Each structure stands twice: as C-alpha cells, then as structure tokens.
Amino acid sequence: MFTRIFTVAGQELRLGLRNRWIMLATLILAAFSLALALLGSTPAGTLGVDRMTITVASLASLSVYLVPLIALLLAFDAISGEIDRGTLLLIFSCPISRTEFLLGKALGHLMVLTVALVIGYGSTGLLLYAVGAGSPAGLADFVRLILTSAALGLAFLAVGYVLSALTRQSSTSAALAIGAWLILVVLYDLALLGLLVTDTGGTFAPHVFPYAIMLNPADAFRLFNLASLGASSLVGGMAGVAESLPFPPVAALASIAGVTVFALCLALVRIRRITP
Amino acid sequence: MTPAATLTLKNVDKSFDRNAVIRDVSFELRAGERIALLGHNGAGKTTLFKMALGFLRPDSGDIAVLGHTPGSGASRAGTAYLPEAVAFQKALTGREVMAFYARLKGADRKRSLDLLERVGLSDAANRKVGAYSKGMRQRLGLAQALIGHPKLVLLDEPTSGLDPVSRQNFYELIEEVAAGGATVLLSSHALTEVEARTDRILILSKGQLVADDTLAALRARARLPIRIRVRGTDGAADRIADRLGGTRVNGCSVELYCEPEGKVACLASIGELGGLVDDVDMHLPSLDDVYRHFSGITAGEV
Ligand SMILES: Nc1ncnc2c1ncn2[C@@H]1O[C@H](COP(=O)(O)OP(=O)(O)O)[C@@H](O)[C@H]1O
Ligand SMILES: [Mg+2]
C-alpha cells in the first residue's frame, strides 16, 4: 500500500519540479520574501522587535495569497487532467486503490509545495540570520511559517482535488480553481468585513465572526501566525482579532486540519465514482 | 484437462442512455489463447474492455476475471491493459514511465526495463514521452502492459499506428506471452490487421457477438464463393460466357463465381476451352470478405 502511495507521490514530485508554472511561483515567492525582508528593515531597529519576526509577519500575509494559488495550480488537474489526457485509464487498471491514488497525489504535491516554501522562505530566513538580523527565536518563527504554510497549502490542495474530481475537462476545473481562490482568499474577507461594518445588532461580531474566520483555512492560517508572533501591534487588521476570540489560536490549526480531512473525503467520494 | 477460464462473460448487456451497446454477449477465454475481438467503430469493443476492467458495470449478466469480480484487487493484479489511444505524462521519459508502472504493479523494475528493449524503444528510453510518435507511444503502452506476469492481457486496438515491421514484432511478442500461459485478447476493426496471428476470432456487430471460432472454421462456415475471371482471346468473350455461364465484365473478360467445393470442376471446364482462353485469375475470399460476411456489412460500408 505504501509503495503505491509513494510511487504516485514520487511521480508527482518529479512532475512538479519539472513544471514551469511551479518554478515560476517559487521564484515569485522567493523574490517577494526577499523584497519584504529588505523593506522591513527600516522600522525594525526603531521598534526594538526582532527583524526576522517582522518579516515573518509580512510573509504570513503573503502566504495567504500565494500558497493557496500554488496549491490550486498543482491540484486543479490532478483528476480532470488525467481523465482529459487519458492517463487515468491506465493507472486505474493497475492494482492501486483510488484512496491510495489520492493520498499519493496529495503527498507528492505537498512535497513540491514544501520544496517551494523552503526555497522561497528558507533562503530569506537564512539570509537574515546570517547577516545577524535575527535571533534563534526568529529562526523558529520562520520554521513555523513554513510548516503552517504547508498545512494551508494542503488544505487548498484538498479543495483543488474536489474541484478537479467534479469535471472531466481540465479547463473547467481550472476555471473552478480560479473561482475558489477568488472566493476563499479575496471575497470571503471582504464579505466578513462588510458584515462587520453593517452589523448593528451586535450578534455577528461575537457569535458568528470568530467561527466564520475559523472555517476558512486562509483566515485561520493568518490568525494563528499573527497570534503566535504576538504581532498584533505590528500588523493591524485581523491580528487584533486573536485576543478577543472565544478559543485559543491553536484551534485555528485544528480547523485547517478539519477542513483538509473533510475536503479529502469529499474528493475521495467523487473519485470513487469516476469512470476513467 | 482444459486450461482455466481467464475471462468469462455470461449474457452481458450494457446500454448508455437507453442505447443498447452490448447485447447478450457470452464467451469464455482460456489460458494461453490469443483472441481477436473484431468489430466496426462503435461496435462496443472498448465498452467490453471497460466492463472487464470494472470501470463500467454491465446492466445485466455476469463477468468473471480470473474468477473474480471485475475491478477487484485480485482481478486487477492479474490483468494488464493497453487502452486505445494510450497516453502518458508527457514530461516523463520512457524509462520513468516503465519504472512507475512496475512499482504500481509490484513488479521487478530491472526486468520491466528490458521490455523497453523488446519493443524497440531502448534508444528512446531517456527521451520525454511528449516527443514520442504515435507508434512509439503505442509500443511503450504495450511494454507497460507486459510488466510483471499478467494472466489476462487486454489490448484495445494495439496495432493501430504501427508500421508493418513493428506490427510483426508486436505479434511475435504476443505469441511469446501466450506461450507463457497468458490469455491475450486484442481488438481491431479489421480482420486483415490481425492476419492469421490469433487462435480464435470473436466478431462483434452492433453489440452482438456474431462469430466465435478459428479463422479456418469461419472461412469454411462462410462458404464464400471463389471469384474467377477468365480473359478470352480476341472476340472470344461471348463464346466463353455461353459455355461457362457468368457475366461479361469488359470487352474480353468473363467473371464467374463457384463454390469452394466446385473449384476443381470449374477449372477443368475452363481448361476444356483451350485456345479461347488467354488468362485466368482466381480470387479467393479475402479476410475482409469473411469479416464482412459475419458482421453483415455490405462492401460499400465500413
Ligand atoms: N460513456 C459513454 N456514454 C454514452 N455512450 C457511449 C459511452 N461510451 C461509448 N458509448 C457508445 O457506445 C458505443 C460503443 O462504443 P465503443 O465501445 O467505444 O466502440 P468501439 O470501441 O467498438 O469502437 C458507441 O456508439 C458509443 O457512442
Ligand atoms: Mg474502441
């Protein structure tokens, strides 16, 4: 069972590393994070906060946009693309179960994503540390950022698989993936903000809003990272929310995991019914 | 003792959106047999393969693959498949594709790489599959299907896109596989393509199994007439037609048909004409004629 999962994962890793789009996304990630690290240098000294910590705070905001994008890029044609090209016919005729197939895909894509994150963020972190701009604690912040970004990526990979398993054409699932990114990463926050502003009865902010944030992996990710950096004073906006929540920030991680498992199960239900 | 059945279909029906695609098909394939499944486009060959693989479920009837339910782990472990228009990940090399399927099938990777050589792809092993020609992809697909030791090999139009040399090579490989005790079921839309390289022929026409026999038996059963064309010397065509029967086809030739058993008698009476005859052409029913006879297609179609 594990051999087959690792076989599929290994192939996805290989394909991912040969995918120009993924390469480009990794470069963008590295370029942005270096730029943010350099730009973030000015206020760091004056506030007396670890420069690495500040950089991690801005990178967390970057992750919210870029990581879901990369994940959806990897996942959108995981199923539909293979049906479209006709490769799934051959794979499903082999003695591999559909669960093993999906888990292999997810593992492989997670590895690609982790490689991109380690290159993109790791290089910045090491650079800052090497020039003496941060403490070991700052390094730990970087590690946390990379790990949680990978978790966020996995959640969006799972969402991508659901969308990919809904159709038989990769062009359709590409459109669905773009839609999902817009909704979950951009519009969701705007909608929450709008509701907060227009909330006159005062029930939305305390009773609905915290849970609405937890339900979206992108928001949960931002919440957890900013809260654990203690960075609400540095970065305004949603970070301040963390202190007023009815649950500890760690719950955000559990929520991301929950969404991931749920989406994977959903994708599996679809994949099992597919005629390749 | 007869060899064990590897694929059994019993009264299988399948329809898509109320269109019957497979109608009451039954047959049994045994170990070591090479079987050709023939049928025109849309006859239901691919549908039959997909049911044997468990991708599609029959509406009624039973299918057993190596004694198991189609699609079950046990049936897939012993089955190999080459889809029609086979496709691979374009960014992988031939060698990587073989290694991937060898691992999925739990087979020896080294041995599976030897298969690349067997299908004549060792030179292209390190090239990206995206740069392969259709024939090369087809051969890679075949090499993939022979990984491990499948007991049932399902090949959907395996020789389409192959040049004559590759096709020859292909049938040699198939013969080896069958000699090793595997059942090889291959589909084609023309009897000429499978030549005489299979042991048994199934003909599917509009979803119905209209023939299941050896080529020799099918020929005999079809009782197709032999066509003889006699060319006369100048001006003799009318007299030849008078003596032999048959029809004038152009200024100097006469065409007649005779039953297979009447062949010798017919030739003898031509011999009696002596100097009237310039030349004789005999046309035995071709494989295509036999196929058309059973699948009920008239010469104009296909
Ligand atoms: N998924 C499907 N949905 C609807 N009709 C189908 C489907 N697959 C095949 N058919 C129909 O079934 C018939 C047989 O197809 P197929 O088995 O591919 O024929 P062959 O392989 O012999 O050319 C065709 O008329 C085709 O249109
Ligand atoms: Mg077909």
Side-chain angles (χ1 to χ4, degrees), chain A residues 5 36 42 49 74 78 85 95 106 108 112 115 125 128 130 135 160 163 167 173 195 208 226 228 261 268:
Chain A
I5 293 179
L36 283 174
T42 339
V49 183
L74 280 166
R85 287 189 298 270
V112 175
V115 169
L128 285 181
S135 58
L163 301 177
T167 64
S173 51
L195 286 173
V208 183
L226 297 187
S228 38
V261 171
L268 195 62

Side-chain angles (χ1 to χ4, degrees), chain B residues 252-286:
Chain B
C252 53
S253 294
V254 173
E255 204 171 74
L256 49 130
Y257 291 90
C258 73
E259 298 288 304
E261 311 82 83
K263 189 165 69 179
V264 176
C266 187
L267 285 176
S269 54
I270 292 172
E272 282 165 18
L273 295 174
L276 293 178
V277 177
D278 189 32
D279 195 10
V280 179
D281 246 350
M282 196 162 70
H283 180 80
L284 293 170
S286 70

